[in-house]
Amino acid sequence: MSFEQVKVPSRPELVDFHGVPMVYFFTDNWENIQNFQARPDDILIATYPKAGTTWASYILDLLYFGQKERQKSVPIFDRVPFLEIFFPPCLSGKDQADNLPTSPRLIKTHFPVQFVPKSFWEQNCRIIYVARNAKDNMVSYFHFDRMNLAQPEPGDWSNFFQRFMEGKMVFGSWYDHVNNWWKKKESCPKIHYMFYEDMIEDTGREIDKLCCFLGLSPSAEDKMKVTGGVQFDNMKRDDMANYSTNPVMDFKISPFMRKGKVGDWKNHFTVAQSEQFDEDYKKKMKDATLLFRTEI
Ligand code: A3P
């Protein structure tokens, strides 16, 4: 049975899992996931939810596999399996990854760094981490939780705002996620740490950096095709990229490809919320080398 045919019974509750708030869809297959056998050429796309995972996945998929037939018939969430998802009777993300016919295999995860299966480190796999500024990430997550019926109830905005700052989100605290991956990158040259805001500012430049990291040298024409193909409006129109075939998402509430902007937080945060957030942010984000832009 495919993901497309499944309905979610009810919204899951957050549970503490090894110190990280999670929902059972991402923990029930834990042993199998931890025993996942990575291959040296696997590429892991790691993000905090709503940081630009689909965008990065699409870029990598186009860079490696171009405008092949599968671009028109296979949704991005099947081309780039979500390692930890476990949604019986659908094939688990782990099994999907095992069965991927491509080389390299592109695999997505939202795990905090300490949850990544050890074989990715043992095999010295390349990892692309995408981070997005907390304010826009929070807004995007709020709308996602409204429309994704497999996520916990978001509640109203002010409630969600508090919960985000407390780190009570699926996959845990944004602050821990981005910081711990950043620290890991310092000792692991196989991690390429990207920022959503940089991708918005100059997609072509960020694709060049990515290619450099991956050892790819696409022709100018191919690079142009990728850069053009992954623009927000193109992906939003493309049913294989926009998640419209996914039944757990209610597009009447909000689309998956929602705005794709830097600074949309200004339409959601009150002045008081922004001040409260900034105060709290300073206490949590002590590493002066990890800097985010909330506008460009
Ligand atoms: P918004 O909700 O702010 O619009 P993820 O893939 O990690 O779930 O992230 C989804 C967010 O990335 C959404 O943000 C979505 O619109 C944005 N996004 C996806 N593709 C994009 C693109 N090509 N350009 C800009 N933003 C994109």
Side-chain angles (χ1 to χ4, degrees):
M1 183 180 281
S2 71
F3 198 65
E4 288 80 351
Q5 292 164 280
V6 169
K7 286 269 174 269
V8 184
S10 61
R11 283 177 178 266
E13 294 288 324
L14 270 187
V15 290
D16 179 273
F17 187 77
H18 299 297
V20 179
M22 296 287 283
V23 291
Y24 68 93
F25 300 128
F26 306 126
T27 58
D28 274 3
N29 202 25
W30 180 251
E31 290 299 317
N32 287 327
I33 295 163
Q34 290 307 308
N35 290 323
F36 178 73
Q37 290 303 306
R39 298 181 195 147
D41 65 342
D42 284 346
I43 299 174
L44 188 65
I45 300 163
T47 58
Y48 190 72
K50 312 317 291 173
T53 332
T54 317
W55 196 6
S57 302
Y58 208 66
I59 292 172
L60 281 159
D61 189 71
L62 280 181
L63 281 172
Y64 279 102
F65 309 117
Q67 309 282 346
K68 299 251 171 64
E69 192 47 42
R70 71 198 209 112
Q71 300 288 347
K72 294 185 209 121
S73 56
V74 186
I76 191 69
F77 51 76
D78 286 333
R79 282 183 248 162
V80 182
F82 185 4
L83 183 64
E84 54 269 28
I85 199 160
F86 188 65
F87 213 83
C90 304
L91 205 58
S92 69
K94 189 257 175 199
D95 288 344
Q96 259 189 305
D98 278 338
N99 295 342
L100 269 185
T102 57
S103 178
R105 301 186 298 185
L106 306 176
I107 300 168
K108 146 186 164 179
T109 185
H110 288 318
F111 273 160
V113 68
Q114 71 275 20
F115 282 5
V116 170
K118 65 176 185 316
S119 64
F120 283 100
W121 308 115
E122 289 165 353
Q123 297 293 337
N124 209 15
C125 297
R126 289 195 176 89
I127 302 180
I128 316 288
Y129 186 80
V130 187
R132 185 178 192 181
N133 82 75
K135 287 176 166 174
D136 283 325
N137 206 139
M138 185 197 300
V139 168
S140 184
Y141 212 164
F142 174 64
H143 290 293
F144 184 68
D145 281 5
R146 289 173 56 235
M147 61 83 87
N148 185 337
L149 309 177
Q151 285 284 112
E153 281 288 350
D156 66 15
W157 166 249
S158 62
N159 185 278
F160 191 87
F161 169 83
Q162 290 298 340
R163 274 211 295 126
F164 185 95
M165 288 196 299
E166 289 163 19
K168 293 182 185 153
M169 297 278 125
V170 184
F171 293 103
S173 150
W174 175 92
Y175 310 86
D176 291 346
H177 210 282
V178 299
N179 273 308
N180 291 335
W181 274 100
W182 183 255
K183 275 195 219 113
K184 184 75 182 178
K185 178 201 70 108
E186 277 160 19
S187 63
C188 179
K190 287 295 188 105
I191 299 176
H192 180 65
Y193 201 106
M194 304 175 70
F195 294 92
Y196 179 92
E197 294 72 28
D198 293 346
M199 291 163 73
I200 291 277
E201 183 176 67
D202 191 339
T203 313
R205 179 192 65 206
E206 295 309 307
I207 292 178
D208 284 343
K209 286 196 220 161
L210 192 55
C211 287
C212 202
F213 171 73
L214 297 167
L216 296 176
S217 30
S219 67
E221 191 193 342
D222 284 347
K223 207 201 103 184
M224 241 166 63
K225 274 194 202 148
V226 176
T227 311
V230 303
Q231 290 308 307
F232 181 81
D233 292 341
N234 287 340
M235 283 181 60
K236 190 175 171 80
R237 265 196 305 270
D238 178 355
D239 285 345
M240 296 299 110
N242 65 18
Y243 274 74
S244 59
T245 55
N246 187 313
V248 304
M249 297 182 183
D250 187 344
F251 278 53
K252 290 197 286 302
I253 300 176
S254 180
F256 179 86
M257 299 286 299
R258 196 182 56 88
K259 287 204 179 165
K261 295 245 179 309
V262 179
D264 185 42
W265 63 270
K266 291 177 191 165
N267 298 316
H268 293 75
F269 282 55
T270 63
V271 172
Q273 280 174 337
S274 185
E275 284 169 5
Q276 185 192 345
F277 180 90
D278 292 346
E279 239 353 87
D280 179 67
Y281 189 87
K282 273 188 237 143
K283 290 185 204 133
K284 289 182 174 135
M285 301 292 285
K286 296 278 188 209
D287 186 340
T289 64
L290 178 55
L291 293 173
F292 285 91
R293 293 187 288 169
T294 54
E295 47 196 313
I296 54 173

